[in-house]
Amino acid sequence: DAMVIQNPRYQVTQFGKPVTLSCSQTLNHNVMYWYQQKSSQAPKLLFHYYDKDFNNEADTPDNFQSRRPNTSFCFLDIRSPGLGDAAMYLCATSREEYSDTQYFGPGTRLTVL
Amino acid sequence: AQRVTQPEKLLSVFKGAPVELKCNYSYSGSPELFWYVQYSRQRLQLLLRHISRESIKGFTADLNKGETSFHLKKPFAQEEDSAMYYCALSGVNSGGYQKVTFGTGTKLQVIP
């Protein structure tokens, strides 16, 4: 009965090789978020979708892109991963933006070789 | 700019002892504050939020606007409370957009 699913749970890629992380939800929530979390650091919001409207955080590098083809799915694309992009990537959803409770997926741990 | 500070990376307490996980924030408006918890090998999940004024698993948190704090408290720690706790703030940033900012987290270790 998982509500926010992330695939894969572990992803290994090579320096510079594009990679896509996947998130799906069964909650029918309007909002989907992507966070990056490095070791011992706070989750850092990269961007979010409210329905089809994309909202990018000002300090998110251009290397990170996202797609939301429908309500249930959202993808994080890293065009040219660098060693500094190795992190845990968390997907979350909420019914409404920000002030609503967020439901998190288990995360995808990305390793860049 | 909004900021959330959790000064303790690790807090160790004995079972049955009181627990207080500190959270201080910096925000000029009226914030909405949350505590999220991550148990071992589980996903991050909401513990409580200040607007609901609930007590979840014996935990409470009171928003103190004068001290800009939202400390998480429990009178008697249990072993199953061992987890990572994150304080989060939802507010409006300088661009007029709502934004959630997480603290760096405090690992609570309850010693049997």
Side-chain angles (χ1 to χ4, degrees):
Chain A
D1 60 341
M3 296 177 290
V4 182
I5 301 161
Q6 289 188 245
N7 286 307
R9 296 290 307 276
Y10 300 90
Q11 176 73 57
V12 180
T13 191
Q14 290 181 327
F15 183 93
K17 185 175 180 182
V19 66
T20 295
L21 309 183
S22 168
C23 178
S24 64
Q25 54 135 341
T26 59
L27 297 164
N28 204 34
H29 281 172
N30 290 315
V31 193
M32 295 187 78
Y33 308 81
W34 279 104
Y35 289 87
Q36 180 192 62
Q37 186 177 24
K38 296 185 178 181
S39 182
S40 301
Q41 295 185 23
K44 179 180 177 299
L45 182 65
L46 296 173
F47 27 59
H48 78 279
Y49 273 94
Y50 185 97
D51 195 14
K52 295 179 182 178
D53 293 333
F54 178 69
N55 296 271
N56 200 25
E57 292 299 306
D59 55 355
T60 297
D62 292 339
N63 196 27
F64 292 86
Q65 307 277 312
S66 187
R67 296 171 283 134
R68 190 179 184 185
N70 53 52
T71 301
S72 301
F73 284 87
C74 194
F75 300 98
L76 169 62
D77 300 308
I78 308 176
R79 292 193 297 188
S80 182
L83 298 179
D85 297 327
M88 178 72 86
Y89 289 88
L90 301 173
C91 175
T93 73
S94 64
R95 192 175 296 109
E96 296 298 329
E97 281 180 308
Y98 293 121
S99 58
D100 206 355
T101 299
Q102 295 190 27
Y103 294 82
F104 283 84
T108 294
R109 182 164 296 284
L110 178 68
T111 300
V112 181
L113 300 178
Chain B
Q2 58 191 60
R3 191 165 57 244
V4 175
T5 303
Q6 293 179 252
E8 303 140 328
K9 280 193 170 181
L10 172 66
L11 180 66
S12 295
V13 301
F14 285 102
K15 178 182 172 181
V19 174
E20 183 178 68
L21 299 169
K22 291 184 167 51
C23 173
N24 289 91
Y25 66 89
S26 172
Y27 181 66
S28 55
S30 289
E32 296 200 40
L33 286 148
F34 306 78
W35 277 99
Y36 283 85
V37 61
Q38 187 168 26
Y39 301 103
S40 179
R41 300 180 190 277
Q42 294 188 27
R43 62 190 68 196
L44 202 58
Q45 58 186 292
L46 180 73
L47 180 62
L48 55 80
R49 49 190 302 187
H50 90 272
I51 60 169
S52 61
R53 304 184 75 81
E54 293 174 294
S55 171
I56 306 292
K57 299 186 179 184
F59 284 97
T60 58
D62 290 318
L63 177 59
N64 185 324
K65 291 187 177 181
E67 295 183 358
T68 60
S69 68
F70 187 57
H71 302 329
L72 184 68
K73 299 178 183 178
K74 184 170 182 176
F76 308 104
Q78 298 174 333
E79 289 181 63
E80 54 265 33
D81 296 329
S82 295
M84 194 74 178
Y85 292 81
Y86 293 92
C87 182
L89 179 154
S90 174
V92 178
N93 67 14
S94 56
Y97 298 101
Q98 274 204 295
K99 181 183 173 71
V100 169
T101 301
F102 280 81
T104 51
T106 297
K107 183 175 182 178
L108 175 65
Q109 183 180 59
V110 180
I111 305 164

